[in-house]
Structure formats: C-alpha cells, structure tokens
Amino acid sequence: MRKKILIIGGGITGLVTGCYGQINGFETEIYEMHDLPGGFCTGWKRNGYLFDGCIHWLMGTNPKYPLYKAWERVGAIEGKEFIQHDTVVQVELGNGKKFTFYSDINRLEEELLKISPEDEPVIRKFADEIRSRAEWEKLIQPDFNNKYILMTKKEFIEQFKNPFLREIFEAVISGNNIFFFLMKTAVYNNQDAGWPIGGSLEFSKGIAKRYAELGGKIHYRSKVKKILVQDDRTTGIMLDDESIIKGDYIISAADGYSTVFKLLDGKYMNDEIKNLYDEADIIPSRVQVSMGINCDLSAEPHYINLKLLQPIKIGNMENTNLSFKNYCFDPTVSEPGKSVVISLISSDFEYWEELRKDSALYRNEKQRIALEVIKVLEERFPEAKGKVETIDVATPYTFHRYTDSLKGGYMGWRNPKQPIPTSLPGLKGLFLAGQWTGRFSGLPTALFTGPESIKEICQEEGCEFVY
C-alpha cells in the first residue's frame, strides 16, 4: 500500500511538494486554509482591475537555464507567455536627474562609464562580475571566499567616486545583501527574469492543475489546527472543525513559527530553533498600495524608483523613496486604455498589529497612506490626475491574516546566522519546507526545498527518488 503524505499549506512550496510526492509514487493530500492555491503567490480583482501580490521577476523563464525545466516539470509555465524586460528599473532622483538601469550588462556598463569615466576600474569590475555569472552554477552559488560579494551595501557604494553613481546604487540595492543584488542583475542580463502573463495567481493555478493531473488532492478551506503525535512520531492532523486525517508523513509547507509553536505547541525544539524565532530577523513585510487608473500609462517605464521630496512616514519608519510598478505590459490586468500601478512601502508589522485593535484608526491610516501615494503618483504622471478610480491597501497585518505568516513576512529570513532546520529534534515523520527553511527567499526556494522533503522520505522508505 502506498504511504500517505499530508501537506500543510497550498502555496507554491506545498504545490511543488505535492507534485513530487505524486511523481515518486506516494499518495498525497494538501490542506489549504483558503479557497485558492498559491498562498502569497496570488492576485485579486477589484472593479475590473487585477492587482498582483507576488511576482516582480521570475527566475527560470529562459529555456537555456535549468530552473526553466524545473518549473516546466510542475506545470508552472505550460502554455504561459513571458515578458523579459529590457530594463530593471528607472531611477528618478529629482531635479531632472534620472538613470535607466538596463538589463543588458554591456549597455549598463556603457551608460555608467558615460556618467563617470573616473570610476572605470570599479564599473569594469562590477560588469565583469555580472558577466561571470552567466553560468548557472556561478549564478546561484555565493563564493564566500570572494570579498567582492561579501561587501556591505555601504562598502560597495563607497567604491564609486561619482556622487550620482552613488545615488543610483543607493536606490537600486535593497537591503544589505550584495550577493542578492549581483544575482538579480545577472538574472536580468541572462534574460531569465520574466513576467508570466496573467500574473501570480495564474502561475499558481498552473501548478495546482499539474498536481491534480498527477492524482493529488487539494482540500480548500481546511485550516490545520494541530499536528497529531504519538510516541514522538506524527500520525496525522486535526483541522479547525476537529476532524482528524491520518497520514504516514507530514510535510509542513506553512509558516515555520506556526508549525513549531502552534501546531506542535512548542514541544519539539532546541535552543537553536528557539533563538532563531526569538530573534525573528525576517525580511520585513510592506504596505502594498494598488491603484486602478482610468488612463493609459503604457508609454511609461514598467518600474520606477522615485526619490521623494517629502518622506512618507508610517509609524517610526520614514520612506524617502517610492516605487511605482506599472503593469501596462500585461493586457490581462485591466481594460484597454486603463492601467494598474502598484507601490510597495516599507513598514513594520507591530505598528499595524497595534492599530488593528481599533478598526477606525486602522482604516484611517490606510486611507492616509493611499492619499499620499496618489498625490505622488499624480505629480509624476500628470495625465493620471483625478483618474484613480480603484484603490486597495494591503498592510503587513493583511498578509499575516491571509497566510498566518510570522509578522506578515513573505520572503523569509534576512541574515540567518545558523542552520535552519528541515526537521524537529525528537520528532519523526515531520519535514519542513519552504521559505522558512532556506537561506535565500523567493519562489525558487519552493523548487529546492519541496523536492528535498520528498527525497528524505524516499530515503527513509528505501526507494529511489525521481526528480
């Protein structure tokens, strides 16, 4: 009789894990708290506009590279059309100063040299580093003996003499991780950072379809309340309605904190795991302001990073830059002649968690932020003035409520200082997968951690793993 695997969470990790479970001959079932697949990888419609909640650029959209075949295997890209942008971002620093950060490293190198010939050695070094990552293995593996990729953001920027170049890189490098910035730039240069027409939800549905074709079952509106354990081995799960489902193995593709501290009552952990979650150094969630606009912005760049004359303050955080993601390149997000623009603004979960206790304060703060963003939008795009007809504001608390993710975090750990567990001490039959088990975040994490869980089960069962 085939062994049964219960998978908690129908996000990308859960779906991919389910596919590999079926491919390897197991009986699998996914239990998802909502009525749609994808988790964070989703989108929602408002008054005829489609607002996307996840993908900005998807690594693995160029058939030349291995990740394409991995996405293809789980049905993510079957029948999909991808757009590969010629630019990463247009940086606008005020006073007419702007710079286009091109995807092609040769063109980008040329433009940087035009601005600052005196920085030629540094520019050449940067461009050569990107070109060296054209090979897949060099792209994804950080060489920790390479001092260049171990630089902090500050160290990297201070290499440049030209103040305008310093401003450009200050705007385009998010966080303090130079390796991730170099990898992203290389992926764009490799034409492997595409956008799937239809967006995140259609991408998720493709994997759910493949999972069903392989014989897997997804149970929607089925939130897991407890992981059941007997003699230090998992035996099944209990749902919110108290129903019991028995299984031989459990893979949690859900939030790591919820799995350890809620579903298992914190019974199976060590000091390492406790410290990991006590410190909770995660990539912060953000406020997403999505706007449906009754005018055509298709002539504008697909992504703009704008320096603000007046910062937007949310709680204790001041945002001196504002991004505008313009989705006119995708004809499925709005009617012809209309546009969708989305801004993401840094914020902290605790601020919104406290506000949420008073629904009027919470609602008013969302409205205030929306009005500030619209004001900046209309200054930057005068043709859009008075034409924002639909607006939707999602906060870190929104993302937490929708996915039960720790602090609304959708990108996992920021700088983990210790190994991240894929199993828990003293407990057999449980495996952890997803963004909370990887040192790097993003959708490809699902492709690596999901199959690894199935591979471990295959080893335990003494059968060969089929990739």
Side-chain angles (χ1 to χ4, degrees), residues 124-143:
R124 298 286 190 202
K125 169 67 176 170
F126 165 66
D128 286 345
E129 186 69 31
I130 300 305
R131 279 188 283 261
S132 76
R133 296 183 177 276
E135 295 177 27
W136 173 254
E137 290 75 13
K138 292 182 180 178
L139 175 69
I140 62 171
Q141 292 297 335
D143 178 3

Side-chain angles (χ1 to χ4, degrees), residues 155-174:
E155 289 169 339
F156 179 85
I157 290 171
E158 285 180 348
Q159 296 177 101
F160 297 95
K161 299 173 184 176
N162 187 287
F164 184 41
L165 257 57
R166 289 187 176 196
E167 284 188 280
I168 291 168
F169 283 104
E170 178 67 41
V172 298
I173 302 173
S174 60

Side-chain angles (χ1 to χ4, degrees), residues 47-305:
N47 302 322
Y49 293 99
L50 175 62
F51 297 145
D52 200 89
C54 182
I55 297 173
H56 298 284
W57 52 278
L58 180 67
M59 187 175 174
T61 53
N62 186 336
K64 179 181 174 182
Y65 296 99
L67 212 56
Y68 181 93
K69 291 182 177 62
W71 284 127
E72 190 175 45
R73 197 170 293 121
V74 296
I77 57 181
E78 185 177 337
K80 296 281 194 305
E81 179 186 350
F82 291 93
I83 292 175
Q84 305 285 352
H85 292 293
D86 294 331
T87 64
V88 180
V89 62
Q90 179 165 292
V91 180
E92 301 185 0
L93 300 170
N95 301 319
K97 294 194 297 182
K98 61 178 65 174
F99 180 80
T100 301
F101 204 90
Y102 290 102
S103 301
D104 186 303
I105 190 59
N106 296 326
R107 189 173 181 186
L108 177 60
E109 180 182 36
E110 183 182 323
E111 294 300 318
L112 291 170
L113 287 169
K114 283 181 187 176
I115 294 170
S116 182
E118 67 271 26
D119 280 314
E120 180 176 357
V122 182
I123 294 169
R124 298 286 190 202
K125 169 67 176 170
F126 165 66
D128 286 345
E129 186 69 31
I130 300 305
R131 279 188 283 261
S132 76
R133 296 183 177 276
E135 295 177 27
W136 173 254
E137 290 75 13
K138 292 182 180 178
L139 175 69
I140 62 171
Q141 292 297 335
D143 178 3
F144 291 108
N145 293 316
N146 185 336
K147 292 181 181 179
Y148 189 77
I149 70 168
L150 294 178
M151 284 183 180
T152 64
K153 177 178 179 176
K154 184 172 183 288
E155 289 169 339
F156 179 85
I157 290 171
E158 285 180 348
Q159 296 177 101
F160 297 95
K161 299 173 184 176
N162 187 287
F164 184 41
L165 257 57
R166 289 187 176 196
E167 284 188 280
I168 291 168
F169 283 104
E170 178 67 41
V172 298
I173 302 173
S174 60
N176 199 35
N177 192 324
I178 294 303
F179 170 72
F180 179 77
F181 164 66
L182 294 173
M183 184 182 75
K184 176 182 175 181
T185 307
V187 172
Y188 267 89
N189 179 57
N190 293 346
Q191 288 289 286
D192 192 33
W195 163 265
I197 293 293
S200 298
L201 183 56
E202 286 304 309
F203 179 80
S204 299
K205 286 180 177 178
I207 308 177
K209 180 173 177 287
R210 175 59 55 82
Y211 176 59
E213 290 169 348
L214 290 167
K217 297 176 184 177
I218 305 179
H219 301 272
Y220 293 109
R221 297 189 180 278
S222 300
K223 186 174 183 180
V224 177
K225 182 179 182 180
K226 291 288 179 188
I227 293 174
L228 304 178
V229 178
Q230 184 176 344
D231 298 328
D232 295 326
R233 185 174 183 94
T234 59
T235 59
I237 55 176
M238 176 189 288
L239 303 182
D240 259 0
D241 65 3
E242 305 290 321
S243 58
I244 304 293
I245 297 94
K246 294 291 186 179
D248 298 292
Y249 292 95
I250 294 171
I251 298 175
S252 179
D255 175 70
Y257 180 87
S258 294
T259 302
V260 175
F261 293 92
K262 295 179 183 178
L263 303 187
L264 288 163
D265 297 320
K267 292 178 180 177
Y268 294 93
M269 63 175 174
N270 52 26
D271 289 341
E272 246 183 18
I273 296 171
K274 186 176 184 303
N275 292 337
L276 183 67
Y277 284 102
D278 280 348
E279 293 175 10
D281 186 16
I282 66 175
I283 297 171
S285 187
R286 292 178 282 188
V287 175
Q288 176 169 323
V289 181
S290 306
M291 295 163 282
I293 308 165
N294 189 14
C295 76
D296 185 359
L297 297 177
S298 58
E300 295 287 351
H302 76 94
Y303 190 48
I304 293 172
N305 188 308

